[in-house]
Amino acid sequence: MRVPQYDPARLGPSPVLRHLRMLLLCVICLGVARAQAMPLLAPPASTDGRWSVLLEKIGDSHPLVAHRPDALLAPASVLKLFSTAYILDRLGADARQCTQLRARGLDQGTLQGPLVFVGGGDPNLSSRRFPYTGNSEHEADSLVVLRELAEQLWQAGVRRVPDGIVAVDGPFPAETGSPPGWTEDDQRFWYGAPIHGLYINDASVLVRVRPAAKPGALATVQITPNPQGFIRNAVRTVGKRQPTEPVRLVTDTTGWRLSGSVRAGSRTLVAGLAQPDPPRFAAITLAEVLRERGIAVSGDIRVRGLSRNRDAGLEESGIPEQASVLTHARLLLAEHWSPPLAEEIQVINKVSQNTHIETLTRLADIAQGRSGTRSSAVAGLETWARERGLLAGQTRFVDASGLSRDDRLSASDLVRLLNWATQQPWWPEYAASLPEAGSDGTLRHRFRTLDAGMLLAKTGTLSDAISLAGILYIKPEQAYVFAILVNDFSLSRAALRGVLDRLVQGWARALALAAQDYPKTVRSAAGPHG
């Protein structure tokens, strides 16, 4: 998809559009009313929930549509627009992360000392295909990257690992606990996995749980990956009217358990669950992959990493331990480089990947000489945005993903960011990372009445927050940025998304009409969202 380049001097206020603003608002309101949606531009008391809305032409600070544009609301995943812009600006579109296998030495096929598995903050040690295409996102083998590392180790002549594996969880300290505003239920699933510098398979495992025929029996489960049966099945089947416990991964003294319960006669449960200890699981899985390749592995699995200090520093006791391991393991035996950052942020914005953006925001913090803790990383993100004049008022970043219910942004903040981003050298990579309406990512089933490439936007969804922010392309060198945030609504999330979709399509129709390009730009007003 061609991403237009914009010259602010050529995108000043259009005289035609200035005279058509009142007509535009009337057309929008009429279109929304005909779609049986709420009259968004009516007084707030008549709307469902709390809204913050802004639509502007790129390069023109005069709003075409505005409804409480400075109201601070929970943004959900549209906050990733700030985070991905930040990491692109700080790290560069070509930045990569490196994961290594190292040792003290090698003697006739036998490693001297442990095999050191060094994490470099690569969030894509998985089967994910790059670049993102929207189809067949993953290879069939979820451990393809570990198999590549095992093959390199074999080609280097390694046949025996007698002293175990040390997983170095770097380069930033792991978090203890979860960010404020993340719920306990969030942390069960893949999208709320703990953040580390070394993890495989998106720090999650895929489980399929089928209830047994009779209550009281263990459910039948399939867990991928599950090296050497490290995760034990403890999911019980209960009666059809009995209460259930959430299915989750938990740790105990001998490994991990898949716990919880499912009702007899219920459908198979399919879920991606968060790994409780991602670095340890990565090392255990690597050991199995090495054995499958023919490399004998014995000894313990250990994890070394930097610890988080309450005062936002690093505990001194953690640094020598990790440094000592790396200092003695100078022999590089295998390495894996991530895709370039531009391709990584495509995945983040297209599918709204929380773990990845939290990881890369910490790397951006480390690159600026800071500690890499969550609090330092989000403070760095906010400072960066304020220094560029992108934020106003009491905006608050609690995390980099938008999963926290305590994050606060306004439509004005997001529109300022998007306007500013169009003038940056990394704009083509940034724009290409946004979901395309009716085509891919989180918008693949929405806005199908619009022409290909007409709408690029990031979505956001929480239980009480729905958001959408992005760019409308009407014709070459005529584009608009917008943001819509809604909190505390009573409609279902699906119904509210329908309202947002009809609203944005109403904007597209009105803007296309003003550009005298209506029949060509919009295929039909009678589509599923028309």
Side-chain angles (χ1 to χ4, degrees):
M1 181 188 70
R2 185 181 68 85
V3 178
Q5 299 295 299
Y6 293 102
D7 178 356
R10 300 172 63 188
L11 288 169
S14 163
V16 173
L17 285 176
R18 285 188 185 279
H19 287 93
L20 286 172
R21 276 196 181 109
M22 187 57 67
L23 172 63
L24 174 61
L25 294 181
C26 292
V27 171
I28 292 167
C29 292
L30 178 60
V32 172
R34 284 179 175 173
Q36 296 182 338
M38 297 169 298
L40 178 61
L41 300 178
S46 67
T47 64
D48 182 72
R50 295 184 295 131
W51 293 64
S52 180
V53 182
L54 186 61
L55 169 71
E56 291 180 357
K57 185 181 179 185
I58 290 179
D60 183 354
S61 60
H62 293 82
L64 292 169
V65 176
H67 178 79
R68 301 184 68 229
D70 299 320
L72 292 172
L73 301 177
S77 280
V78 294
L79 186 146
K80 291 184 178 74
L81 291 172
F82 271 95
S83 305
T84 49
Y86 169 64
I87 62 171
L88 269 173
D89 196 60
R90 296 294 83 189
L91 297 178
D94 296 325
R96 296 172 184 258
Q97 304 85 49
C98 185
T99 304
Q100 298 180 337
L101 297 181
R102 293 160 60 173
R104 190 169 69 228
L106 178 63
D107 183 14
Q108 298 181 352
T110 300
L111 283 190
Q112 306 302 297
L115 177 65
V116 182
F117 188 9
V118 185
D122 183 354
N124 290 293
L125 297 180
S126 68
S127 62
R128 195 179 296 278
R129 291 192 178 103
F130 288 92
Y132 176 89
T133 62
N135 298 310
S136 303
E137 273 190 73
H138 293 271
E139 303 286 351
D141 182 5
S142 63
L143 304 180
V144 60
V145 172
L146 294 188
R147 297 194 199 285
E148 290 174 10
L149 289 169
E151 183 61 30
Q152 290 184 51
L153 212 61
W154 179 270
Q155 295 301 325
V158 177
R159 298 296 181 268
R160 289 175 295 281
V161 181
D163 295 324
I165 298 176
V166 174
V168 177
D169 182 18
F172 52 81
E175 289 290 308
T176 55
S178 61
W182 286 27
T183 69
E184 183 179 349
D185 204 45
D186 290 334
Q187 295 165 71
R188 278 202 301 139
F189 296 106
W190 62 271
Y191 56 81
I195 309 305
H196 290 264
L198 176 61
Y199 57 87
I200 64 167
N201 203 49
D202 296 340
S204 68
V205 298
L206 179 66
V207 302
R208 290 180 170 85
V209 182
R210 189 174 72 249
K214 295 182 179 180
L218 284 176
T220 300
V221 305
Q222 179 182 352
I223 306 171
T224 308
N226 187 17
Q228 298 183 320
F230 179 71
I231 305 171
R232 304 188 317 279
N233 174 28
V235 180
R236 292 280 173 183
T237 304
V238 299
K240 293 182 179 180
R241 296 185 179 181
Q242 289 182 275
T244 61
E245 295 181 3
V247 174
R248 67 172 72 242
L249 290 174
V250 298
T251 59
D252 59 27
T253 55
T254 59
W256 293 1
R257 284 182 293 113
L258 185 64
S259 69
S261 58
V262 291
R263 288 191 179 95
S266 62
R267 292 183 177 182
T268 297
L269 169 69
V270 180
L273 299 181
Q275 300 169 13
D277 187 351
R280 185 174 301 279
F281 191 70
I284 289 168
T285 309
L286 175 64
E288 180 184 56
V289 169
L290 294 180
R291 293 183 185 109
E292 290 176 354
R293 184 60 186 88
I295 300 172
V297 180
S298 56
D300 296 332
I301 301 294
R302 290 157 284 170
V303 177
R304 298 291 182 265
L306 298 177
S307 300
R308 180 176 179 271
N309 185 284
R310 183 175 58 188
D311 299 321
L314 298 180
E315 288 183 5
E316 304 235 349
S317 61
I319 297 173
E321 185 178 34
Q322 188 188 64
S324 176
V325 170
L326 297 179
T327 298
H328 290 93
R330 294 184 176 179
L331 177 62
L332 177 61
L333 296 165
E335 63 181 2
H336 173 80
W337 287 91
S338 74
L341 184 65
E343 294 183 11
E344 293 183 296
I345 71 157
Q346 273 197 323
V347 168
I348 290 168
N349 280 334
K350 296 282 191 185
V351 307
S352 209
Q353 229 296 344
N354 294 338
T355 310
H356 292 199
I357 190 60
E358 295 288 350
T359 301
L360 293 176
T361 305
R362 285 158 172 76
L363 291 183
D365 198 55
I366 290 286
Q368 296 173 88
R370 297 161 63 99
S371 70
T373 63
R374 179 194 57 82
S375 57
S376 177
V378 296
L381 166 61
E382 184 171 343
T383 298
W384 168 88
R386 290 197 184 280
E387 288 175 347
R388 285 152 185 79
L390 305 178
L391 300 178
Q394 300 302 309
T395 300
R396 183 165 70 246
F397 291 96
V398 174
D399 59 15
S401 61
L403 185 58
S404 174
R405 280 71 174 171
D406 296 339
D407 292 315
R408 289 294 180 269
L409 282 174
S410 70
S412 293
D413 296 325
L414 289 157
V415 165
R416 273 191 296 270
L417 167 71
L418 291 168
N419 254 314
W420 176 81
T422 63
Q423 308 308 315
Q424 305 312 307
W426 38 262
W427 165 249
E429 292 85 357
Y430 184 72
S433 77
L434 301 180
E436 181 178 341
S439 176
D440 63 21
T442 56
L443 288 184
R444 63 189 179 278
H445 300 308
R446 296 171 64 179
F447 298 103
R448 289 183 170 178
T449 64
L450 300 183
D451 274 356
M454 187 179 182
L455 172 63
L456 304 177
K458 181 74 191 76
T459 61
T461 303
L462 293 171
S463 59
D464 56 357
I466 294 287
S467 52
L468 187 70
I471 308 155
L472 270 171
Y473 295 103
I474 302 303
K475 53 192 299 189
E477 298 182 356
Q478 185 175 334
Y480 301 82
V481 288
F482 72 92
I484 307 171
L485 307 177
V486 191
N487 286 186
D488 304 327
F489 45 87
S490 59
L491 292 173
S492 70
R493 285 179 291 184
L496 185 57
R497 285 192 197 99
V499 172
L500 266 61
D501 291 2
R502 291 189 291 270
L503 179 65
V504 173
Q505 288 182 126
W507 292 348
R509 288 194 289 270
L511 292 167
L513 181 62
Q516 297 183 346
D517 198 23
Y518 175 74
K520 179 181 178 181
T521 306
V522 182
R523 289 194 290 267
S524 169
H529 304 294

